[in-house]
Amino acid sequence: MIKITFPDKSVREFKDGTTGYEIAQSIGAMLAKDVLSISVNNELWDITRPINSDSEVKLHKWDDSEGKHAFWHSSAHLMAEALQELFPGTKFGIGPAIENGFYYDIEPGNGKVITEVDLQAIEKKMIELARLKSSYNRREVPKNEALNFFNKKGDYYKTELIGELEDGTISFYEHGNFTDLCRGPHLASTEPIKAVKVLSLAGAYWRGDEKRKQLTRIYGISFPKQKMLDEYLIQLEEAQKRDHRKLGKELDLFVFSQKVGLGLPLWLPKGARLRERLESFLKKVQVKYGYEPVITPHIGQKALYETSGHYAKYGSDSFQPIHTPAEGEEFLLKPMNCPHHCEIYKAKPHSYRDLPLRFAEFGTVYRYEQSGELHGLTRVRGFTQDDAHIFCRPDQLKDEFKKVIDIIFYIFKALDFKDYIAQISLRDKNNTEKYIGSDENWEKAEQAIVEACNEKGLKTTVEMGEAAFYGPKLDFMVKDALGRKWQLGTIQVDYNLPERFELEYIGQDNAAHRPIMIHRAPFGSMERFVAVLIEHTAGKFPLWLTPEQVVILPVSEKYNEYAKNVLNFLNNSDIRAVLDDRNEKIGKKIRDNELKRIPYLLIVGEKELESNEVSVRKQGHGDQGTMKLEEFAGFINSEIENMLNEIGS
RNA sequence: GCCGAUGUAGCUCAGGGGUAGAGCGCUUCCUUGGUAAGGAAGAGGUCAUGGGUUCAAUUCCCAUCAUUGGCUCCA
């Protein structure tokens, strides 16, 4: 007998070799039907795998990510089986479960190119195969046998993978006519897979290496019920409606022009207003935190970037130097603001008493992104960073870093960004030639970030090898409507640029010391931030950010004059209003998408003209009654103030 | 940059070797009682660009450009 400990710490005895499925059965028939995978001593197992020693277990159903993982991973194998049947000779790469669904990387047999028209056939085949209810069988095999097996099939991607595994750790999973190298876990059989959608195709480099062959990646998702699939697809469609590229067009915020150039957004009046609101919001915060504005030019001499190290690192993949009529003069469009700010610091000597110095600039920079990378406003070639560089003493570093975290918290709170990931990006210690600066400085910088985050109680993930080439960083990632992660706020500790620019301050000991530099951008870039903001708010911005807060609707032409007076009044009291004097039936006008997003509607007609008032309607809250204009102005201003105070508290 | 897809009216899209269509929007008119109305008529397109095949190309082929789903990259 073995002792099985459950998550609630209760212990029960089972016979040797009992399986997860049997444990579930002993608890209840319903559970046995729903259980998909099991954690045995924190290791994910199949529910059909015998347990032979005392263990702590946790059963996973669809609602657990572990359950979905097994479900989707099994679906990936099912898809591979379907592909093997449909396209004989197909070579298989890897096929994992992902956050939403699964994929398989393959090289189709006989030079076949899989296109979208094939997806349905794959789907159909998968369902057909799933109905066979083949069981997934785990088998541990010696390395030799594993290599032989895949060699015979000519599956050279698999043999490459096996070659790197240790003997004794290799397991095969078999179901129907398909055998795969796999760690598992899997479902007991294909039976629960009832609904399948093969979503999309993509190219993906084998093992993520762009020098290696590009395989065909097929994405899919599956569910235990058709209804769940239908719901998922509807949800996906809804998310697509929030796409900032679509809303940006509908709301007249920005456009792109082929003639101006790809990745170079043109901000329309409404978009510019929204952006200015955000900028002035941050500027106010920064004044409180002791930042000082600076302004620097859009170009700088090539030598500036040679000093900073950026030219060596990115020069050949950037916009190429601008040449002047004079021989030998070369300027670069600035791809970042730091070197300029370093030169500002250097313009005069500094005492330890002067520090920290915080130079802030909404600096527009230009980076030559690969054409395939461009994506709406989230990845562009010209963008404005809400940049600042803090020059401080070592004893001030942690405190300054924490203050920047505070600013980011404040902004995220103001805009209701709750779901973010704080990611600490450190260097890859096995590949140090990618980075500049001494090991000692890197250690110090990395430690400072980790400590500051701990002291702030910030929950972080740590990624090795994701650091900037000059220093480690803390990034705040937010997901867009379709679940893609984008880096917004970023804070970076840098010991290296101060060294390269030979920045100094005179310490208490009357000797020269090197300041530490913090790069930071709470929004990241205005472009990307606005993009994510649009998707988060579905285009309905908070009142204090809306490009237009009020739409004025005269009931008929007779009241246009009065409506214009109302407009003038509001404009003078700093409320952003638009007049809709098309004088059509109100119901018709209100259907207008654009007007629908404006939070307040003022109706003026006979009644209002007589009493010199307006009828106020608030989006989603109905009639607010009639008000004098002064009252209304006060009403809106106090709503905005309350909103901002609430954020501040 | 790479792999796949797409490019037709302001928007969303259908069509197809014989020089184009719908819905919404727009313009004009009619109906309507002031809170997400109904109807009629009309204007709008070198079918992304450049080549090729053909008696004839928006449609087929090739190239280019742009957009897009991913991969790689992201100072």
Side-chain angles (χ1 to χ4, degrees):
Chain A
M1 298 296 268
I2 52 170
K3 285 197 176 72
I4 297 295
T5 311
F6 290 93
D8 65 358
K9 298 291 166 211
S10 64
V11 180
R12 281 175 56 193
E13 291 208 331
F14 288 87
K15 65 176 196 305
D16 271 19
T18 205
T19 65
Y21 180 72
E22 285 160 354
I23 293 172
Q25 257 185 332
S26 77
I27 297 171
M30 279 300 280
L31 179 62
K33 222 179 109 203
D34 288 344
V35 71
L36 298 174
S37 67
I38 182 171
S39 290
V40 178
N41 299 325
N42 286 324
E43 204 177 292
L44 275 175
W45 279 31
D46 314 310
I47 53 166
T48 52
R49 187 165 164 192
I51 303 169
N52 293 315
S53 58
D54 293 355
S55 304
E56 276 185 36
V57 305
K58 184 163 191 270
L59 295 164
H60 302 295
K61 300 194 292 182
W62 175 263
D63 297 332
D64 304 325
S65 62
E66 291 90 347
K68 283 195 185 79
H69 189 275
F71 193 93
W72 284 331
H73 196 170
S74 299
S75 302
H77 280 221
L78 180 64
M79 182 163 78
E81 187 190 9
L83 290 165
Q84 185 180 260
E85 289 212 4
L86 290 169
F87 314 111
T90 294
K91 313 289 179 219
F92 293 91
I94 56 165
I98 51 177
E99 200 175 337
N100 286 303
F102 56 88
Y103 68 78
Y104 220 113
D105 281 349
I106 62 159
E107 185 186 314
N110 308 321
K112 155 91 183 161
V113 176
I114 295 187
T115 66
E116 272 166 29
V117 293
D118 299 312
L119 299 188
Q120 236 181 344
I122 299 170
E123 227 167 85
K124 230 177 109 188
K125 193 73 177 174
M126 284 175 73
I127 291 289
E128 193 185 308
L129 293 168
R131 292 215 175 112
L132 299 178
K133 305 180 184 177
S134 331
S135 54
Y136 288 92
N137 300 317
R138 180 192 172 86
R139 176 155 66 93
E140 277 169 32
V141 288
K143 191 165 176 171
N144 283 348
E145 193 187 316
L147 281 172
N148 282 340
F149 178 85
F150 283 110
N151 262 331
K152 226 177 275 170
K153 275 181 75 188
D155 254 325
Y156 31 79
Y157 297 109
K158 294 292 182 190
T159 52
E160 180 180 330
L161 292 173
I162 293 167
E164 293 165 19
L165 291 174
E166 274 174 45
D167 204 356
T169 62
I170 298 170
S171 57
F172 276 9
Y173 275 85
E174 214 167 0
H175 81 277
N177 271 323
F178 185 75
T179 303
D180 204 350
L181 167 73
C182 184
R183 202 173 286 130
H186 284 285
L187 302 177
S189 82
T190 58
E191 186 179 1
I193 304 174
K194 302 284 193 207
V196 174
K197 181 81 188 168
V198 180
L199 291 164
S200 62
L201 288 165
Y205 299 108
W206 171 234
R207 314 203 81 179
D209 184 345
E210 70 180 313
K211 290 185 190 74
R212 304 202 59 179
K213 194 169 163 77
Q214 195 160 42
L215 306 182
T216 305
R217 177 168 297 179
I218 307 177
Y219 286 91
I221 194 160
S222 58
F223 293 92
K225 285 182 183 147
Q226 181 64 37
K227 200 175 151 210
M228 292 166 90
L229 173 60
D230 294 343
E231 276 166 15
Y232 175 78
L233 294 175
I234 288 170
Q235 190 196 322
L236 210 73
E237 230 170 86
E238 287 300 313
Q240 273 156 5
K241 286 186 195 155
R242 301 205 311 271
D243 191 312
H244 76 276
R245 291 165 296 191
K246 190 175 152 63
L247 284 170
K249 198 187 264 179
E250 272 176 30
L251 296 171
D252 284 326
L253 297 177
F254 59 89
V255 291
F256 287 90
S257 147
Q258 280 196 34
K259 221 162 198 163
V260 171
L262 52 162
L264 299 170
L266 306 173
W267 290 80
L268 303 176
K270 283 184 193 171
R273 268 195 306 259
L274 169 65
R275 197 177 129 161
E276 278 179 359
R277 285 263 139 187
L278 283 168
E279 288 187 6
S280 66
F281 171 67
L282 179 58
K283 276 180 189 162
K284 267 185 220 156
V285 178
Q286 287 182 165
V287 168
K288 273 193 212 151
Y289 278 85
Y291 286 76
E292 294 179 287
V294 295
I295 296 173
T296 64
H298 285 69
I299 60 174
Q301 290 210 77
K302 186 173 141 189
L304 180 68
Y305 302 99
E306 284 169 348
T307 300
S308 71
H310 288 100
Y311 189 79
K313 180 89 180 166
Y314 296 105
S316 55
D317 296 322
S318 293
F319 285 115
Q320 290 307 292
I322 302 165
H323 298 270
T324 64
E327 288 271 321
E329 269 194 313
E330 289 184 292
F331 291 87
L332 286 173
L333 275 168
K334 74 173 170 190
M336 80 292 303
N337 304 298
C338 12
H340 286 82
H341 289 189
C342 285
E343 285 302 300
I344 290 179
Y345 180 90
K346 236 189 146 171
K348 69 171 206 178
H350 295 284
S351 152
Y352 71 98
R353 295 176 209 273
D354 299 339
L355 303 185
L357 279 170
R358 309 181 187 91
F359 296 143
E361 173 176 20
F362 283 85
T364 303
V365 298
Y366 299 90
R367 296 178 185 177
Y368 182 79
E369 305 287 0
Q370 295 184 74
S371 60
E373 262 315 320
L374 300 171
H375 182 99
L377 280 187
T378 47
R379 194 81 184 266
V380 288
R381 284 181 169 173
F383 57 96
T384 302
Q385 294 179 307
D386 55 325
D387 211 356
H389 294 94
I390 300 168
F391 299 89
C392 65
R393 306 189 303 255
D395 61 292
Q396 296 168 323
L397 174 64
K398 207 191 288 173
D399 205 42
E400 285 302 312
F401 197 93
K402 279 156 59 179
K403 277 193 220 162
V404 180
I405 294 180
D406 286 338
I407 293 180
I408 292 180
F409 280 169
Y410 179 71
I411 286 171
F412 278 18
K413 197 172 162 198
L415 293 159
D416 206 24
F417 281 19
K418 292 186 192 101
D419 298 320
Y420 57 80
I421 300 158
Q423 176 185 311
I424 299 179
S425 300
L426 306 179
R427 71 182 167 156
D428 177 0
K429 288 202 175 85
N430 301 320
N431 196 5
T432 49
E433 70 275 13
K434 271 166 67 182
Y435 310 96
I436 59 170
S438 68
D439 283 347
E440 191 200 342
N441 281 346
W442 272 88
E443 296 290 335
K444 275 196 278 185
E446 294 187 347
Q447 201 189 340
I449 291 184
V450 172
E451 278 177 26
C453 289
N454 283 343
E455 285 171 32
K456 274 274 141 199
L458 183 62
K459 234 177 94 186
T460 55
T461 61
V462 177
E463 293 289 334
M464 297 296 178
E466 292 290 311
F469 77 98
Y470 51 73
K473 52 185 185 162
L474 171 65
D475 290 329
F476 290 81
M477 328 281 283
V478 176
K479 283 185 193 169
D480 70 8
L482 288 174
R484 291 177 287 222
K485 275 185 226 157
W486 296 99
Q487 176 211 308
L488 296 179
T490 179
I491 321 176
Q492 310 173 1
V493 176
D494 184 358
Y495 285 81
N496 292 310
L497 285 188
E499 211 155 294
R500 291 180 156 258
F501 279 90
E502 298 175 336
L503 306 184
E504 289 178 346
Y505 66 91
I506 306 300
Q508 216 162 358
D509 56 1
N510 200 28
H513 296 271
R514 190 126 286 161
I516 306 163
M517 198 171 165
I518 298 174
H519 309 243
R520 47 109 276 180
F523 290 143
S525 82
M526 300 313 293
E527 283 73 10
R528 183 176 288 178
F529 194 84
V530 167
V532 175
L533 180 66
I534 291 170
E535 304 201 352
H536 270 247
T537 57
K540 291 188 175 181
F541 305 108
L543 181 60
W544 55 280
L545 267 186
T546 47
E548 269 110 18
Q549 295 161 332
V550 173
V551 52
I552 305 161
L553 280 184
V555 170
S556 79
E557 210 172 326
K558 281 192 283 184
Y559 309 105
N560 281 2
E561 201 55 36
Y562 179 48
K564 271 182 204 152
N565 291 340
V566 172
L567 179 69
N568 282 338
F569 178 87
L570 294 180
N571 283 343
N572 285 333
S573 53
D574 199 32
I575 290 170
R576 296 178 298 286
V578 280
L579 176 59
D580 187 358
D581 58 358
R582 287 175 291 175
N583 299 121
E584 289 166 47
K585 175 103 173 172
I586 285 178
K588 193 167 182 178
K589 286 186 282 192
I590 292 300
R591 281 199 311 165
D592 196 317
N593 261 337
E594 193 186 316
L595 298 187
K596 263 166 71 179
R597 292 177 205 276
I598 301 181
Y600 291 93
L601 174 64
L602 299 188
I603 295 160
V604 298
E606 191 181 353
K607 193 175 82 185
E608 290 79 9
L609 179 58
E610 272 175 19
S611 59
N612 202 21
E613 290 181 326
V614 287
S615 291
V616 180
R617 220 182 140 187
K618 185 175 172 182
Q619 185 73 245
H621 294 82
D623 278 332
Q624 307 286 304
T626 57
M627 290 184 205
K628 294 271 182 218
L629 281 179
E630 294 80 6
E631 275 178 74
F632 176 68
F635 172 66
I636 287 219
N637 283 329
S638 71
E639 290 225 330
I640 292 175
E641 221 164 280
N642 288 342
M643 215 175 273
L644 288 171
N645 283 339
E646 214 171 284
I647 299 158
S649 62

